[in-house]
Amino acid sequence: MAARARQPVTVEPKQDEQESAPAFVWEPYTPGSVLRVSHTSCCGLYEWAAEGGQFFVLRSAGDSGYEETGRGRYRQALDVYIALAEAHRGEHLRRGERPDPDTFLLNGRRG
């Protein structure tokens, strides 16, 4: 299998005045080398993944497969995951629900 070409990081968080959560550009995920998913967020909404030395966040796109965002180096991709997971946790709290604990939110901002 051919290695995925390095792509410049084009995902930048944008604050939408009508939403409190950061918005990210989601692109269709195209399988490359060996995909490793090592963490799944509350409700299974987001997955922390690595492939070919790059890290990113996956989410289901329904019948059309998966979408990705934040592809790049570990720290940059982890910051994207944390922003998304924190926003999702906030949605649960606003609805008066108790979200599942997320170890990346507890430990991700250290270091």
Side-chain angles (χ1 to χ4, degrees), residues 36 54 66 73 76-77 90-91:
R36 290 183 174 90
Q54 293 189 324
Y66 288 89
R73 294 180 178 206
Q76 179 252 329
E91 290 171 18

Side-chain angles (χ1 to χ4, degrees), residues 31-50:
S33 59
V34 176
L35 174 67
R36 290 183 174 90
V37 174
S38 59
H39 187 80
T40 302
S41 72
C42 171
C43 305
L45 187 60
Y46 303 115
E47 294 180 319
W48 171 251

